[in-house]
Amino acid sequence: MSIQPARLLGALRADRAVSGSELAARLGVTRAAVWKQVRNLRALGAPVDAVAGQGYKLAWPFAALDAEAIRARLDPVLRRRLGNVAVHWQIDSTNSDLRRAADAGVPDLAVSLAEMQTAGRGRRGRTWVSPLGANVYLSLLKRFERGMGTLAGLSLAAGVALAQALEDCGAGGLGLKWPNDVVVEGRKLAGILVEAGGEFLGPCFAVIGIGINLRLPAAAGIGQPATDLARVCGAAMPDRHHVVACLLTRLVSTLDRFAVEGFAPFAGLYAACDALAGKPVRVHSGRGVYDGIADGVDARGALRVRCGTVVATHDSAEVSVRERGA
Ligand code: BTN
């Protein structure tokens, strides 16, 4: 008989090793089935260590995400307003999940979370590496009345909300690398993928997808300098339910304000954490590559790049930007 990976992960502990025979007895399977599932969990990225002669131990405590535990940490008004909170053990992508749900007509402020993603997506067609159980993969659906044309700057406002939420969780030294990567000392801690659908001048929606590195496995296979919340917060590492609750709280209040006032009220907050401002950058666009100095963002959230006396502006869909010499 086989065991569900979630059940085995739930039976493992970080404070002591649990022997294969104890696990087999508790889960009603053979030791061989335990061993096979341990191998599977490791392949999915779970930090299961073998302790010689004692059994298996987790490198850090694992508490499976639970929708009720998240709701319980929210302000009652937000708890009532929030739509369905779905927690998936495994899904292709929480953004794809909510895009499908949006097309099927689910109400506003639905949330999709997963322990792992098999086809996690990043900006500009990149893959978002999504190992099991260690990070936060969250998407939120927000409906807007006045059309996709009013969503300029939304992804930067979401970046401000994400940075504020991480600060609420005790993280310090955060910056925003345009358009919305949260970085600490030049290393990426979290990223955002905003995808919009609906009408240009009428009802539309945005799916705001957020990935936060909580504990990156040593061999995470991420192709850029990255960090995680465990490193940034040290001993004061918050639990995942708290991180998700802080994130939903900041995100929903930001989206409420954005729906009425657009990006303008967030421009100052963005400038305060702009990690690129005044730095030499290299801009890669469809028309080629050029060097300049990052000069903040305009009223729509487009990046300003100064090249001598000329200032060019770029929308996030159009270019990728690297700090030069970083
Ligand atoms: C980026 O920095 O490139 C954006 C990363 C966004 C990743 C998140 S994880 C939750 C949601 N689901 C996805 O497939 N992508 C976003």
Side-chain angles (χ1 to χ4, degrees), residues 6-94:
R7 280 194 71 211
L8 177 57
L9 199 53
L12 289 165
R13 305 180 57 116
D15 56 351
R16 68 171 174 91
V18 186
S19 71
S21 41
E22 183 183 338
L23 289 166
R26 277 182 48 198
L27 300 169
V29 294
T30 61
R31 285 178 62 180
V34 168
W35 178 78
K36 211 167 137 193
Q37 195 52 263
V38 164
R39 227 175 33 169
N40 177 38
L41 285 176
R42 282 190 185 135
L44 296 172
V48 187
D49 297 332
V51 184
Q54 295 180 43
Y56 305 104
K57 191 170 179 236
L58 289 174
W60 57 73
F62 171 80
L65 286 171
D66 174 61
E68 282 318 306
I70 294 165
R71 282 184 175 280
R73 286 168 164 80
L74 299 175
D75 169 88
V77 176
L78 176 56
R79 200 182 308 151
R80 277 194 295 277
R81 280 188 63 205
L82 213 57
N84 184 44
V85 178
V87 175
H88 306 276
W89 167 256
Q90 174 179 311
I91 198 160
D92 52 352
S93 147
T94 55

Side-chain angles (χ1 to χ4, degrees), residues 93-149:
S93 147
T94 55
N95 262 36
S96 304
D97 183 38
L98 281 192
R99 282 175 69 175
R100 293 186 288 263
D103 290 336
V106 299
D108 201 19
L109 300 184
V111 179
S112 177
L113 285 146
E115 294 289 6
M116 73 182 129
Q117 299 183 116
T118 53
R121 291 183 286 113
R123 289 183 53 249
R124 302 179 61 75
R126 285 190 286 254
T127 297
W128 187 257
V129 178
S130 307
L132 169 64
N135 299 324
V136 169
Y137 315 115
L138 173 149
S139 300
L140 174 72
L141 171 70
K142 174 70 185 157
R143 295 190 181 277
F144 295 91
E145 290 307 316
R146 292 182 298 138
M148 286 201 276

